[in-house]
Amino acid sequence: MAFKLPQLPYSMDALKPNISAETLEFHHGKHHKAYVDKLNDLVKGTTFEEASLENILRKAEPGTLFNNAEQHWNHSFYWRSMGPNKGGDPKGPVADAIKQGFGSFDAFKKKFSEIAVGHFGSGWAWLVRAKDGSFQVRATHDAGCPIRDGQTPILTCDVWEHAYYIDYRNARGRYVESWC
Ligand SMILES: [Fe+2]
């Protein structure tokens, strides 16, 4: 069964002015689509042809197939990490977890932003639940996905240049500031 590019959970212009329709059209319709197409090409004839995406993330050897599977998963999760009129102070169990892990929501935001802005090169900033149950902020390089490390992703911000270059050029800091 072929992997499919998921529909965005909002319209292309829903994240303006923080992220433009042009950025979403390229990022979703070109970049994410290319990862899905490549993944579908690469799984043909392998033991992963009928595997779930999560199974590939856990078991595939490092390499192009694995990288494209990670990028497909990461982007699908990134689209759901954002939304129109979303953000602000969390409530309920997530708020409790953030307070427990970082002291306050503001302290979490500061740490997440520092990791996202300071990450060298292409990659992702994450809020994850670690194997010991603690909540942590971390970055991954290139296509890296925390599922490979047995962690549960809760939130991610794409810090590849293709996520912000149209709107912010090289100013990753301004992208992250508006994203947070
Ligand atoms: Fe991306």
Side-chain angles (χ1 to χ4, degrees):
M1 199 171 66
F3 294 102
K4 288 200 177 82
L5 179 68
Q7 281 206 320
L8 285 182
Y10 31 74
S11 65
M12 288 288 174
D13 62 358
L15 303 182
K16 287 194 307 186
N18 300 311
I19 297 177
S20 67
E22 188 183 2
T23 290
L24 283 184
E25 280 160 10
F26 270 83
H27 198 177
H28 177 263
K30 305 282 187 197
H31 292 280
H32 188 174
K33 183 177 184 300
Y35 295 126
V36 175
D37 290 346
K38 188 82 179 165
L39 175 61
N40 282 325
D41 280 347
L42 291 168
V43 293
K44 278 180 199 153
T46 73
T47 53
F48 295 109
E49 197 159 358
E50 300 297 324
S52 70
L53 190 55
E54 284 75 12
N55 208 17
I56 296 175
L57 294 189
R58 290 194 174 92
K59 295 185 177 164
E61 294 293 323
T64 317
L65 189 162
F66 176 59
N67 291 341
N68 281 280
E70 286 190 303
Q71 283 295 70
H72 177 29
W73 196 95
N74 292 355
H75 281 91
S76 301
F77 194 70
Y78 172 67
W79 308 131
R80 301 198 307 274
S81 293
M82 310 182 285
N85 306 314
K86 296 286 171 67
D89 288 5
K91 296 181 178 65
V94 174
D96 295 341
I98 284 176
K99 195 168 181 194
Q100 183 195 333
F102 305 96
S104 69
F105 182 62
D106 283 346
F108 156 71
K109 248 173 53 167
K110 185 167 182 286
K111 191 161 186 188
F112 188 90
S113 300
E114 284 170 359
I115 294 260
V117 174
H119 177 72
F120 185 78
S122 298
W124 299 81
W126 301 87
L127 170 64
V128 299
R129 187 166 196 188
K131 281 191 266 192
D132 64 3
S134 66
F135 290 82
Q136 299 175 10
V137 166
R138 64 170 296 196
T140 55
H141 283 285
D142 301 322
C145 177
I147 288 179
R148 183 71 156 191
D149 303 324
Q151 298 175 328
T152 306
I154 296 167
L155 184 76
T156 194
C157 179
D158 187 344
V159 295
W160 285 59
E161 277 193 347
H162 66 222
Y164 58 86
Y165 202 81
I166 291 171
D167 297 330
Y168 299 94
R169 296 304 177 197
N170 61 326
R172 185 192 288 177
R174 288 205 296 117
Y175 158 65
V176 170
E177 186 183 351
S178 82
W179 195 91
C180 288

